[in-house]
Amino acid sequence: MSLGDQIARNLPYLRRYARALTGSQATGDAFVRATLEAALADESLKASLEGGRVPLYRAFNKVWASAYMDVSEPDSGESHEGAAHDRLKSITPLNRQALLLTTLEDFSVEQAADIMEMEPEEIERLVQEAVGEIDKESATSVLIIEDEPLISLQLEDLVTSLGHEVCGTAATRTQAQEVVADKTPGLVLADIQLADGSSGLDAVDDILAISSVPVIFITAYPERLLTGDRPEPTYLVTKPFQEQTVRAAISQALFFGSSRPLG
């Protein structure tokens, strides 16, 4: 497989990581572009990318680390973008990087240590600190849009174990509308393909037309959202999922307080 093909295969997931790290599709994509431009300008860096995902993420993290302190203003005038920027200044970026790499991106502690150029013990400490920050998040009400009963129950248990309230569950777009008509959630966990053939994307659009709330998509079909053809969700978890991955995504979504997919 050519280097270009390797990068293309991993690029959607690097963009997902960049969006979750920065809280913005536009900012995340800008850092990904800067990483690729750096690789084109540096033959040794370009050659290192032959190693697959780990060196690609390591190259990205170097660009992010070198430029992070220079990011002084949010990309957009929208309030949630400004709020995300304010919160970024109040939390240690390394904690968030370690947590996202080992949960959302499913790297081992050793791989994350390679990416961040630290010792594995240091990564474990950063992850524990990040988990501590998650536990400080204020409780909210959560709507679960999922047509598989077992998965819906798993998500209910996870959400309540984190101190949040489940305001309702829905297996179809219509059921989601009924829940929201009674109570507006503070967070939505949504599948894409629902029981009656309706779309979780449409269900989420219905909700966002009423209220601005963070949304996390949990789906077995991430390629339907990672196309680059439309604004992509900031928070996307692939099935089958690990509980710590969903936990990290919930923390990130509540941390940024974002509503629509950020662009």
Side-chain angles (χ1 to χ4, degrees):
M1 182 181 296
S2 70
L3 177 58
D5 288 340
Q6 288 184 47
I7 293 176
R9 183 179 63 181
N10 293 318
L11 199 57
Y13 302 99
L14 179 63
R15 293 177 62 228
R16 174 180 65 181
Y17 169 66
R19 286 196 304 278
L21 185 62
T22 64
S24 164
Q25 182 175 330
T27 303
D29 284 352
F31 275 105
V32 171
R33 284 195 301 272
T35 302
L36 299 179
E37 289 168 358
L40 288 173
D42 185 331
E43 286 298 325
S44 62
L45 177 59
K46 181 180 177 181
S48 74
L49 299 185
E50 292 281 359
R53 281 185 83 212
V54 168
L56 179 61
Y57 278 65
R58 183 170 61 238
F60 171 88
N61 267 38
K62 286 182 178 178
V63 171
W64 161 255
S66 65
Y68 175 78
M69 295 307 294
D70 295 330
V71 179
S72 57
E73 297 293 338
D75 302 359
S76 165
E78 296 184 23
S79 60
H80 60 248
E81 188 80 4
H85 176 72
D86 290 340
R87 291 184 179 94
L88 279 171
K89 294 188 295 186
S90 67
I91 189 172
T92 305
L94 291 177
N95 293 0
R96 204 163 61 256
Q97 287 175 271
L99 183 65
L100 288 171
L101 287 170
T102 56
T103 56
L104 187 66
E105 299 306 317
D106 202 27
F107 286 110
S108 67
V109 168
E110 290 73 22
Q111 288 172 320
D114 190 357
I115 290 168
M116 296 180 68
E117 299 184 319
M118 294 180 171
E119 294 298 321
E121 294 77 11
E122 183 70 4
I123 297 298
E124 291 176 342
R125 182 184 66 79
L126 291 173
V127 169
Q128 289 304 312
E129 289 179 358
V131 169
E133 292 171 356
I134 291 172
D135 293 337
K136 295 177 183 177
E137 294 290 350
S138 58
T140 191
S141 60
V142 181
L143 168 60
I144 299 172
I145 306 175
E146 169 59 61
D147 66 334
E148 296 185 34
L150 180 58
I151 294 179
S152 183
L153 286 171
Q154 288 176 325
L155 291 174
E156 282 191 64
D157 288 343
L158 174 59
V159 164
T160 54
S161 74
L162 294 174
H164 305 299
E165 168 197 351
V166 177
C167 67
T169 60
T172 67
R173 179 183 181 181
T174 299
Q175 290 176 3
Q177 291 171 332
E178 292 170 352
V179 172
V180 174
D182 182 58
K183 182 175 182 180
T184 302
L187 174 69
V188 177
L189 307 182
D191 194 2
I192 295 176
Q193 188 168 300
L194 302 181
D196 61 351
S198 59
S199 168
L201 293 170
D202 293 334
V204 166
D205 285 343
D206 293 339
I207 296 167
L208 294 180
I210 299 171
S211 178
S212 177
V213 298
V215 177
I216 299 170
F217 284 100
I218 303 176
T219 177
Y221 307 99
E223 66 279 358
R224 296 185 184 179
L225 292 172
L226 299 174
T227 63
D229 296 331
R230 55 173 285 175
E232 297 172 354
T234 302
Y235 308 104
L236 174 62
V237 175
T238 303
K239 292 180 181 178
F241 59 81
Q242 296 182 357
E243 287 195 357
Q244 60 263 39
T245 303
V246 179
R247 178 174 174 149
I250 290 174
S251 174
Q252 289 291 308
L254 295 178
F255 170 79
F256 285 110
S258 52
S259 53
R260 304 174 187 274
L262 299 179

